[in-house]
Amino acid sequence: MVQTVNRSRLFTGCIVSLVATAFGFAVRGSILENWRTEFQLTSEQIGYLQGAGLFPFAISIILFSLIIDRLGNGKSMAIAFSLHVLSAVVTLAAPLMLAGAGASPEAVAAGHKAGFTLLYIGTFIFALGNGTVEAVVNPVTATLFPREKAKYFNMLHAGWPGGLVLGGLLSMAFNNINTSSLPGRAWQWQMGLVLVPTLAYGFMMLGQKFPVQERVAAKVPYFDMLKEFGAGSCYIVSFFLVAGLNQILLIAGVPTWSLTTQLGIALVPALLFATYVKSFGQPIFVLLLLVMVLLATTELGTDSWIADIMHSVLGSATLGTMFLVWTSLIMFVLRFFAGPVIHKIGPLGLLAVCSGIAAIGLMWLSSPAAPLALFAAATFYGFGKTFFWPTTLGVVSERYPRGGALMLNAIAGVGMISVGTIGNPAIGMVQDQQAVTELRQAAPDLANKLVVSRPGLFGDSSAIDPTLRAQVTDPAQLQLLSTIDGHSKQAALGKIAVLPCTMLVCYLFFIAYFRAKGGYQVQHLVTEGVPGD
């Protein structure tokens, strides 16, 4: 008997798989302070960990986009499941690297470094699994619902904020219960629970028949997909992959490449690709890739840091996590109602409106205020960022279906890798430098004792050394450092606001461009039904 596509179960399984990826993302974000203390990490190192949770996503999503039609969605999801399990195991093992009581300072430092390395590797593997998941669920959703792509992409990606809410609530529960009777660390138990939604999506996907991808069903040749993607897109993707490799070299302590060198290295695969396909690709898609860099940092960069920033501002880990939970809950609810809004003002109009709202929300969040006022600002920002990611995927899928899984997943991959390699470390570096500036102004002598210079992604940068800071015992100095922490971290949000402002200008340009061409028109390859159904 021929097995048919179970559209409902398959789509639900796709949503649950995104819940699992976001659940792990939220848990990692909420335990950053635990890692900072236990492994003596700087804000820039925290930024590297956050980056490792994002940029390897691009490696797997782009790789699988090239081979997924041949490998198959079922096998790809099995690989994602295995990577998620392995990630949890490696991360849980990190404390085993720490030196024991009475160890020499050198041994302690080596233990911190080794522990950080395992945290980085575990987070890296987790991101590979996330990219593999999205390499499957995006084209599957576009194929299941070819007539309402933007609507169902928003519903699919409600799984992401849904997972953030569940992970955030779990973290708050652990922050408010006595875990001293449990073996190991409390954060290890939180990491272990990441396996629950992982097992759930593994069960739902087990034995399911997947539809034939839209491009394949329409018999659009593989080479035509590559031409649609083009050398211009290949260069942008190649640059961010090189930037990701450069970050790995930095973490490993070996010489890294300058920005000019990275741009030059990225030219090699782009030129080879251009020689093969003889096509620049779709110019508007190339511009959308660049805008995605700003979008991803605005949304994911802020999500990565918001719990940690508000923890420092308000002095409460629970309140800090609540900011991520609250904005994610807003996104989860609204994404199920994107269809009527898109029908009314169009996907590009929605993206333009959201950019303006997000910019205002971030500026508001960066201003000192009482907790209730900050939650009001977070509400505004949450509304703004809700439709960014899935609506962009809808635009790409609607306008460039001949680009198949490659173009659809490449834009998601560029978003993840750009915020991982540049966005998150940059936000961390801004916080470090702001803190150093304020400390030097308020207490020059203390700054001379605590501030160190170290190599970073953007060259040598100054930061307050966490090991030296831990030796400070004077109450007045501790209070000063705490105040500076909150202010410097919060100020970074205001600097992020320039990104959605730039996005607004870009989306207005796209709207004007399509109007000059006769309007935004959805391109269809499959007229009706589910290919392979």
Side-chain angles (χ1 to χ4, degrees):
M1 183 172 66
V2 178
Q3 184 183 8
T4 59
V5 175
N6 187 333
R7 191 196 305 234
S8 177
R9 177 168 175 171
L10 197 58
F11 184 59
T12 303
C14 289
I15 294 175
V16 173
S17 68
L18 287 183
V19 169
T21 63
F23 189 88
F25 181 86
V27 168
R28 280 177 164 80
S30 68
I31 60 181
L32 287 177
E33 197 61 34
N34 301 89
W35 287 355
R36 186 197 302 273
T37 301
E38 187 166 350
F39 298 94
Q40 295 293 291
L41 307 178
T42 66
S43 290
E44 189 169 357
Q45 285 177 307
I46 292 291
Y48 293 143
L49 288 174
Q50 292 168 330
L54 296 173
F55 82 79
F57 174 104
I59 298 174
S60 53
I61 194 173
I62 294 171
L63 172 64
F64 277 92
S65 295
L66 291 169
I67 64 174
I68 198 167
D69 294 328
R70 293 182 173 87
L71 179 64
N73 290 302
K75 291 180 181 178
S76 298
M77 288 301 290
I79 292 172
F81 177 84
S82 301
L83 289 170
H84 279 153
V85 173
L86 178 60
S87 165
V89 173
V90 172
T91 304
L92 291 171
L96 298 177
M97 301 294 104
L98 297 175
S104 66
E106 292 77 12
V108 170
H112 289 154
K113 182 177 180 181
F116 169 71
T117 300
L118 274 192
L119 293 178
Y120 189 89
I121 293 172
T123 306
F124 191 100
I125 295 172
F126 174 74
L128 289 177
N130 291 352
T132 308
V133 164
E134 193 147 345
V136 175
V137 300
N138 286 333
V140 164
T141 298
T143 303
L144 289 174
F145 307 101
R147 310 299 296 186
E148 298 178 289
K149 293 177 181 178
K151 171 185 174 180
Y152 281 96
F153 272 125
N154 273 280
M155 293 176 66
L156 168 70
H157 285 270
W160 176 263
L164 294 181
V165 170
L166 292 176
L169 291 175
L170 169 70
S171 299
M172 286 192 294
F174 269 83
N175 288 335
N176 290 280
I177 62 175
N178 184 5
T179 58
S180 59
S181 60
L182 297 175
R185 282 88 167 160
W187 69 260
Q188 288 178 303
W189 284 89
Q190 292 173 253
M191 282 300 307
L193 289 174
V194 171
L195 293 173
V196 174
T198 300
L199 293 172
Y201 86 74
F203 172 76
M204 295 197 72
M205 295 292 190
L206 186 64
Q208 290 301 295
K209 176 180 173 61
F210 288 81
V212 177
Q213 206 275 326
E214 182 182 16
R215 175 194 66 81
V216 178
K219 295 182 169 52
V220 175
Y222 183 85
F223 184 74
D224 285 6
M225 177 181 74
L226 299 181
K227 288 182 65 177
E228 191 87 347
F229 181 67
S233 304
C234 180
Y235 180 67
I236 294 173
V237 172
S238 297
F239 166 72
F240 283 110
L241 290 175
V242 171
L245 176 58
N246 192 58
Q247 187 181 105
I248 295 173
L249 296 177
L250 178 67
I251 297 296
V254 300
T256 55
W257 303 309
S258 67
L259 177 60
T260 302
T261 301
Q262 294 176 55
L263 291 168
I265 294 173
L267 269 177
V268 177
L271 290 174
L272 291 174
F273 192 77
T275 302
Y276 178 60
V277 301
K278 296 180 174 59
S279 168
F280 176 80
Q282 294 287 346
I284 293 298
F285 177 73
V286 173
L287 293 177
L288 283 169
L289 283 174
L290 296 175
V291 174
M292 193 64 174
V293 176
L294 311 179
L295 185 156
T297 303
T298 300
E299 179 182 339
L300 296 180
T302 305
D303 283 349
S304 298
W305 282 103
I306 193 67
D308 184 63
I309 289 173
M310 290 304 165
H311 176 188
S312 296
V313 172
L314 301 175
S316 167
T318 299
L319 285 177
T321 305
M322 269 300 299
F323 276 84
L324 179 62
V325 171
W326 176 239
T327 57
S328 299
L329 182 60
I330 292 171
M331 294 170 68
F332 175 75
V333 173
L334 291 183
R335 282 183 175 178
F336 284 102
F337 300 97
V341 183
I342 293 172
H343 179 73
K344 184 72 174 178
I345 64 175
L348 292 173
L350 178 59
L351 288 169
V353 170
C354 287
S355 297
I357 295 174
I360 296 171
L362 285 170
M363 288 300 298
W364 192 358
L365 274 171
S366 69
S367 304
L372 286 179
L374 289 174
F375 269 103
T379 301
F380 213 71
Y381 167 66
F383 273 94
K385 70 172 181 172
T386 289
F387 303 112
F388 278 155
W389 195 278
T391 305
T392 298
L393 294 179
V395 169
V396 172
S397 186
E398 288 178 348
R399 289 294 306 172
Y400 310 109
R402 294 176 63 85
L406 177 58
M407 289 179 72
L408 181 58
N409 287 332
I411 197 161
V414 164
M416 284 288 190
I417 196 171
S418 62
V419 74
T421 56
I422 296 177
N424 270 342
I427 294 172
M429 184 190 69
V430 166
Q431 294 175 50
D432 280 337
Q433 292 184 343
Q434 180 71 24
V436 168
T437 300
E438 293 189 18
L439 181 60
R440 282 176 172 162
Q441 291 174 348
D445 291 340
L446 182 60
N448 291 335
K449 296 177 182 178
L450 301 185
V451 174
V452 297
S453 179
R454 63 185 70 209
L457 192 62
F458 308 96
D460 289 346
S461 60
S462 298
I464 298 174
D465 186 272
T467 302
L468 296 175
R469 175 176 174 163
Q471 299 171 10
V472 175
T473 58
D474 181 79
Q477 292 179 339
L478 289 173
Q479 179 59 47
L480 174 63
L481 290 170
S482 177
T483 301
I484 288 175
D485 273 348
H487 185 267
S488 61
K489 291 179 179 181
Q490 189 175 16
L493 295 173
K495 295 182 179 180
I496 298 173
V498 71
L499 303 182
C501 289
T502 306
M503 289 162 54
L504 174 58
V505 174
C506 293
Y507 291 133
L508 292 176
F509 165 76
F510 291 142
I511 291 170
Y513 171 83
F514 282 114
R515 282 182 179 174
K517 295 290 184 179
Y520 179 93
Q521 299 294 328
V522 178
Q523 306 297 311
H524 296 290
L525 293 180
V526 179
T527 56
E528 59 183 14
V530 177
D533 201 343

